[in-house]
Amino acid sequence: MAARTSTPEKRPGFFSQLKTLYTFTQKEYRWLPFLLAGIVLVGIALGVVVGFLIPPLAVWSIILWGVTGLLAGILAAMITMTRLSTTAMYKKIDGMPGATGHVLSSSLGRNWQASEAPVGVNPRTQEALYRAIGRGGVVLIGEGNRSRLTRLVGEERGRVQRIASGVPVTVLYIGHGDDEVPIAKLASTIKGLPKKVDRATMAAVIKRVSSVSQGLSSLPIPKGVDPTKMRSPRPR
């Protein structure tokens, strides 16, 4: 038997994450290096201009403001790259089974509770139903063919309404058709729902739903998205 080690797993450093983030984003946007270089140069130029405009006019002042502009340009370039990497990630996972679970587990924040695993799956066609609970109530998200999701949605809606009577239940479908939500807008759509549930009620609903879910058989994540590979790395 292999000996166990107490040494914690070494996580990638800041520059390693930054390199991975750049590589991931540049594959989707080939013009990324030119954009980032332009942002940094604009930052330097603005800093130098400010140095010329603010008295007293001196070489040290121009250099100082130029360095300030450089740092501001680097920060703006990193923010731009992070946002582009998120867009690239959504483009890559759009239409893939399991994309909904990935977004729910990584993009909703602390005010919502959701699992990467679906609460209902059609094992033959891989249609899946996901659930999120928050201040906006209970949200059911269907992934796949809408007509084939009818039974899964109806069963889960009925279960939620029985154990959390009076809590609003919203049903969303992932897609690009009428009354459907693109995967890139899923998190913002859920977080934009009006807050109709207080925190105490939200906690009670989570507890009730969790107790019922423990009695159900565990469901696999639909094959298609590998969350460990598709997650867009962010510099910390």
Side-chain angles (χ1 to χ4, degrees), residues 213-236:
S213 299
Q214 287 175 358
L216 302 176
S217 57
S218 59
L219 296 169
I221 299 174
K223 296 180 179 179
V225 172
D226 184 344
T228 61
K229 295 181 180 179
M230 298 308 304
R231 191 180 307 276
S232 174
R234 298 173 182 266
R236 293 176 296 168

Side-chain angles (χ1 to χ4, degrees), residues 12 18 30 32 52 65 97 108 110 117 124 140-142 145 161 169 173 184 198 209 227-228 231-232:
L18 193 63
R30 296 295 181 182
L32 179 66
F52 272 104
W65 279 105
L108 289 185
R110 293 180 295 178
R124 184 173 60 85
L140 304 179
I141 306 98
N145 186 283
Q161 289 175 337
V169 179
Y173 293 93
D198 58 41
V209 172
T228 61
R231 191 180 307 276
S232 174

Side-chain angles (χ1 to χ4, degrees), residues 61 124 158 176 215:
S61 178
R124 184 173 60 85
H176 297 277

Side-chain angles (χ1 to χ4, degrees), residues 183-199:
I183 192 69
K185 296 182 179 180
L186 176 60
S188 60
T189 299
I190 294 177
K191 290 188 287 188
L193 292 174
K195 297 179 180 179
K196 297 183 178 180
V197 177
D198 58 41
R199 295 189 181 277

Side-chain angles (χ1 to χ4, degrees), residues 203-215:
V205 172
I206 292 174
K207 185 176 181 180
R208 292 174 192 169
V209 172
S210 298
S211 64
V212 172
S213 299
Q214 287 175 358

